[in-house]
Structure formats: structure tokens, C-alpha cells
Amino acid sequence: MSDAVPVAAAEMAAAGFSRIALGLEYKGARYRGFQRQSANVPSIQGYLEAALSKVAGGAPVSILCAGRTDASVHSSGQVVHFDTTVERSLHAWIMGANMNLPNDISVTWAKVMPAHFHARFSAMARRYRYVIYNDPIRPAHMAEEVTWNHRPLDVARMREASQALVGTHDFSAFRATRCQAKSPVKTVHHLQLIEHGRFIVLDIRANAFLHHMVRNIAGVLMTIGAGERPPEWAREVLERGDRHSGGVTAHPYGLYLVQVDYPEEFELPPRYLGPHFLSGLPDVRQP
């Protein structure tokens, strides 16, 4: 472990507070997204802050996350942090939170961090998996955890099309109209299509993502895979820079935030890439 982390943690302890990072996984189907909203709207943030506040003996806890997922979007690798003056063991933060959380939200790890760590702004890259269940019959199981596509999809065509999106590009054609990002230029480090039984997994890692970017990419690739457009269409959509030319936004059910990358100095606990039913898939990340 680097010397900077324990020294910074000791300095915060001397100042009377600690910064705690947590790993988080959740099924987003019944939530209106990660971000806390009004009191009557269920959110991941709202439930987690309430649970952590109970562990803290009633002291209010406010969290910040690596990425605010949308309604019905899941995560197996979300990272959050919070500051607290309450002293608890890391085990107590994990188990105490989980005792007070719904069954579809779980804290997976906890770690004391230095003051300069920030769950969002310290992140170097984020990784998503979009899971498509490709079968003519709708699935009775996991219906809210995968996106069902009844049309036969040609994965080779999807792979060919996907390579046009790798690298640094203006992704205006793949951003939602209400996206608030300052710049549409993002760098996609890898974009892979993996076949796993009836599943087709779109695995994508980038320095950052625009609102609905992954779902819009998935929509374009599924349209190409179904034979409705040629593989060259993905590049054409990208170069036009017009959201209206990019087809339908894919459903949120199959989308998972699976990993957030940080500088090595923070040494966050390793965990398998999710979702859990795909934990045996290889890490396809490229250098």
C-alpha cells in the first residue's frame, strides 16, 4: 500500500472525520434511478443514505457516486463515498448498511480513503455491460435484468459495426436530448460483443459516457444485427452527429455499470466483473 493513503486517512482522523468509499451493487428495476429525488420517489441514493444514517446512530449521511444510473439501470460495480465523524469499523458499515437496505441493494466492500479521493472526479474510466437475451420466446426469468430481443441477431455484423465507435469521437448522435455533459467528445477504450449461450453481451469501457450513450449504441448495433441496416450505418450515424438519425434507444433493463477505474494509489478492493450471472466471462479489456 502506498504511504499517501494511510497518511491522508490519519490526517482526516486527526481533523475529526473520515472519508469512506463503498462498493455497491443493485437491481434498478423498481427505482427511478440512482439519484435521490422527492421523498415519495424510490432511489438507490435515498435508500443507501437512510441505511447508513442508521448505522451512524441517526447522524445524517450524504453520499456521492461514480455515475448516476438511470431508472431501471443496474450496477454490480458502483462506487460511492461519504464523510462522517462517526467511528465505526468497516465491517459495521458493510453489514449494518445491508441489514437496513432492501434485498435488491447490497454494499460489497468498504475502505477508508484519503481526503483527495472522490468517487466521481477521481475516476479514470467507467465500464458497462449491456446484456441482450436473444430468443424468439420472451424470458420468464430475469425479465427485468436483461433486454429481450426476439429477432435473430448476427453478432459478426454487430462486431464489424462496433469498431467504428472505438477511439475518440464526437458522440452527439448517441446522446440523449437532455444530456447535460459539457462535451460530446468521449474516448471508447474497447467495445466488444461476447456470446454466452442465449446472451449477447455488449461490453464497453470509456473515459466517460453521455446520457443514454450505451443504450443508443446498443440500439444501433441491434438494428444492424437484425439485418435492417448495414454495418457501415454505425459510422454514418456517428459522423452525422444527429441523434434523430440513430434509431431507437434500447431498453434500460439489460444495462449494468460493472466497473469504475481509479488511479492505483487508491487500491480499491478487487471484485469480479458482473452481473453475477456473467461472472465467469473473461475480462476483455484491452490495454
Side-chain angles (χ1 to χ4, degrees), residues 75-102:
S75 180
S76 59
Q78 178 72 272
V79 177
V80 306
H81 84 261
F82 64 95
D83 293 337
T84 181
T85 58
V86 177
E87 293 187 10
R88 297 286 186 271
S89 69
L90 294 178
H91 181 77
W93 285 119
I94 297 170
M95 302 308 295
N98 285 339
M99 287 180 60
N100 291 287
L101 283 168

Side-chain angles (χ1 to χ4, degrees), residues 49-61:
E49 289 179 342
L52 291 171
S53 295
K54 289 182 179 179
V55 179
V61 173

Side-chain angles (χ1 to χ4, degrees), residues 27-41:
K27 177 181 175 181
R30 71 185 188 95
Y31 300 99
R32 291 290 298 275
F34 182 91
Q35 189 173 12
R36 181 180 61 249
Q37 300 175 50
S38 63
N40 296 324
V41 177

Side-chain angles (χ1 to χ4, degrees), residues 98-176:
N98 285 339
M99 287 180 60
N100 291 287
L101 283 168
N103 290 336
D104 50 6
I105 306 175
S106 292
V107 174
T108 56
W109 54 262
K111 185 177 180 181
V112 178
M113 303 302 293
H116 64 280
F117 173 83
H118 192 287
R120 178 183 175 190
F121 297 121
S122 298
M124 302 184 301
R126 294 162 181 83
R127 181 173 180 176
Y128 285 85
R129 280 178 167 173
Y130 190 84
V131 185
I132 304 161
Y133 180 76
N134 194 207
D135 191 86
I137 306 300
R138 63 178 173 82
H141 305 289
M142 298 170 55
E144 295 177 325
E145 297 175 61
V146 297
T147 289
W148 171 49
N149 192 304
H150 68 279
R151 306 166 297 179
L153 297 177
D154 187 328
V155 177
R157 288 169 57 89
M158 296 169 71
R159 287 187 179 125
E160 180 183 350
S162 71
Q163 294 314 296
L165 307 179
V166 176
T168 302
H169 304 287
D170 181 331
F171 283 94
S172 292
F174 295 92
R175 72 188 299 182

